[in-house]
Amino acid sequence: PNTTCIKRLREFHHGLQEGSPLKIVTACGPFTTSDTTDYQPFVDLMHVIMEQTPDLVILAGPFVDLRQDLVKEGKTTVEVDDDVHQTVSYEALFANRISGLLEEAFDDKEFNTHFVLVPSVEDAWAKCV
């Protein structure tokens, strides 16, 4: 197992964190409402994270929830143009909605938050048949 020695933890705490406490945010999915896949709850969460700039964010799925009606029906869509939606795979929906927002956060060089994503058994991972 990987462990960090006490000396390095102290250096991190007093050097990089300047003695301030470690800020950790955790959130569990699903990150959509029951009737849409626009991921507005996830967007709202990302706004809070960008404002609070925690050191670590742990996100637990489901990210593409098998129990969500549109996912069950295979109606996973993304907007490709103004008011033009295209049906996409579960992976493409995840990449567009979840990864896209996380990449925006990582583009900001001043934003040093680390993310850990934990999938759920309720995450859609195979093509809808």
Side-chain angles (χ1 to χ4, degrees):
N2 283 337
T3 59
T4 304
C5 69
I6 292 173
K7 180 182 175 187
R8 291 204 52 205
L9 289 172
R10 283 191 182 126
E11 288 172 359
F12 178 81
H13 179 68
H14 294 291
L16 293 175
Q17 289 184 271
E18 299 173 349
S20 62
L22 190 64
K23 293 187 276 183
I24 300 173
V25 171
T26 62
C28 296
F31 296 101
T32 63
T33 59
S34 60
D35 61 346
T36 182
T37 57
D38 70 359
Y39 283 82
Q40 190 59 48
F42 188 74
V43 171
D44 295 341
L45 173 65
M46 288 303 296
H47 285 294
V48 170
I49 290 169
M50 295 294 281
E51 288 173 9
Q52 294 184 0
T53 61
D55 298 295
L56 175 66
V57 176
I58 302 170
L59 300 174
F63 297 99
V64 180
D65 189 5
L66 282 172
R67 300 167 295 181
Q68 208 269 1
D69 290 338
L70 294 173
V71 173
K72 280 194 276 188
E73 296 168 8
K75 296 179 181 176
T76 52
T77 61
V78 296
E79 189 170 3
V80 292
D81 206 0
D82 289 336
D83 293 328
V84 177
H85 291 79
Q86 179 179 357
T87 301
V88 295
S89 68
Y90 301 141
E91 294 86 356
L93 181 65
F94 177 88
N96 182 276
R97 302 295 185 166
I98 302 293
S99 295
L101 285 169
L102 292 176
E103 285 175 10
E104 284 179 30
F106 286 122
D107 279 346
D108 184 355
K109 300 299 181 214
E110 299 296 315
F111 190 71
N112 293 319
T113 298
H114 295 274
F115 288 85
V116 175
L117 276 62
V118 182
S120 164
V121 296
E122 298 295 337
D123 269 307
W125 59 273
K127 193 173 191 177
C128 184
V129 180

